[in-house]
């Protein structure tokens, strides 16, 4: 979550990218930003319209053969703790998971937010890193899925920290905070999601 703001700038517009975005206030702001950079939006999350979003995501991968983007630490965190959602889509579609992250020399880190969001300053130097592709076997058990989840999470954390260190900044480390539940529920009710 904390390193999502710059991803649209790095995407090759020749290949459609469909981003899963929550339908509450924060998500809708992100959706408008992503659409301005040519990304397609699939609305939903684990807390609202999950089944509809899952069907649309799978259809996008399998039938349209387009790429999807999922923020791996979910709508409320904790930060840098990957959930299983991306693995299920990779398992069902046969497509790989590739983790993407970045860092910049100069950025503001929102320490009061649950995700320690990195907001890069303009006219800056940065690094974009990718993990290797991870293929999830169709017959993987829940125990095997958890092993893959940990492997991907570790790889993504490692390349994030390495990018920070290479640019001479203090690394942003995994957090234990989650988005305040009351605030999150209030946002969902306001948007008539609950």
């Amino acid at each position: 979550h904390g390193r999502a703001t710059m991803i649209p700038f790095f995407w090759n517009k020749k290949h459609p990218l469909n981003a899963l975005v929550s339908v509450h206030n924060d998500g809708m702001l992100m959706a408008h930003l992503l659409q301005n950079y040519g990304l397609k939006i699939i609305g939903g999350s684990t807390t609202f319209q999950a089944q509809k979003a899952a069907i649309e995501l799978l259809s996008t991968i399998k039938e349209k053969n387009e790429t999807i983007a999922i923020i791996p630490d979910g709508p409320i965190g904790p930060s840098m703790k990957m959930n299983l959602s991306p693995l299920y889509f990779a398992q069902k579609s046969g497509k790989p998971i590739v983790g993407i992250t970045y860092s910049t020399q100069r950025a503001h880190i929102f320490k009061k937010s649950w995700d320690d969001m990195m907001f890069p300053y303009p006219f800056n130097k940065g690094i974009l890193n990718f993990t290797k592709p991870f293929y999830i076997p169709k017959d993987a058990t829940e125990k095997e899925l958890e092993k893959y989840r940990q492997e991907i999470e570790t790889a993504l954390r490692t390349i994030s920290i390495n990018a920070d260190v290479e640019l001479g900044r203090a690394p942003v480390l995994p957090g234990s905070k989650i988005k305040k539940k009351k605030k999150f529920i209030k946002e969902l009710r306001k948007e008539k999601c609950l």
Side-chain angles (χ1 to χ4, degrees), residues 56-184:
E56 193 172 345
L57 287 165
L58 263 179
S59 168
T60 299
I61 303 169
K62 291 175 88 172
E63 294 166 26
K64 296 179 184 175
N65 200 28
E66 294 180 1
T67 304
I68 62 170
I70 299 174
I71 303 293
D73 52 8
I76 60 170
S79 67
M80 300 174 98
K81 172 79 173 170
M82 183 174 182
N83 65 43
L84 284 167
S85 296
L87 282 83
Y88 292 133
F89 292 108
Q91 184 182 37
K92 299 269 186 221
S93 69
K95 305 289 183 179
I97 295 173
V98 177
I100 302 172
T101 190
Y102 66 89
S103 184
T104 60
Q105 279 184 335
R106 294 178 299 107
H108 180 76
I109 307 297
F110 289 92
K111 284 292 186 185
K112 289 186 179 180
S113 68
W114 69 268
D115 58 0
D116 292 332
M117 180 173 275
M118 177 182 285
F119 187 79
Y121 294 130
F123 312 109
N124 207 341
K125 182 178 180 183
I127 294 173
L128 177 68
N129 278 343
F130 296 85
T131 66
K132 70 176 188 178
F134 291 91
Y135 288 88
I136 311 301
K138 288 195 183 296
D139 60 350
T141 64
E142 289 295 317
K143 189 175 179 180
E144 291 168 332
L145 285 173
E146 176 58 19
K147 185 180 171 190
Y148 281 111
R149 187 201 67 74
Q150 289 176 7
E151 186 181 355
I152 298 166
E153 177 182 276
T154 299
L156 194 49
R157 284 180 181 180
T158 300
I159 64 173
S160 295
I161 291 169
N162 288 349
D164 288 343
V165 170
E166 191 173 334
L167 288 169
R169 62 176 303 118
V172 177
L173 300 173
S176 58
K177 296 182 280 185
I178 61 170
K179 188 172 189 179
K180 291 180 182 171
K181 192 173 183 180
K182 283 184 181 177
K183 182 181 176 188
F184 187 64

Side-chain angles (χ1 to χ4, degrees), residues 9-75:
F9 292 99
F10 302 124
W11 190 256
N12 179 345
K13 307 296 187 288
K14 293 178 184 176
H15 303 285
L17 178 62
N18 301 263
L20 177 64
V21 178
S22 296
V23 291
H24 59 81
N25 286 345
D26 295 350
M28 294 317 292
L29 287 172
M30 182 57 80
H32 292 304
L33 173 73
L34 296 175
Q35 286 174 322
N36 286 337
Y37 286 96
L39 278 70
K40 298 178 186 177
I41 303 303
I42 296 174
S45 70
T46 53
T47 53
F48 182 68
Q49 295 184 347
Q51 187 175 7
K52 178 182 174 287
I55 291 167
E56 193 172 345
L57 287 165
L58 263 179
S59 168
T60 299
I61 303 169
K62 291 175 88 172
E63 294 166 26
K64 296 179 184 175
N65 200 28
E66 294 180 1
T67 304
I68 62 170
I70 299 174
I71 303 293
D73 52 8

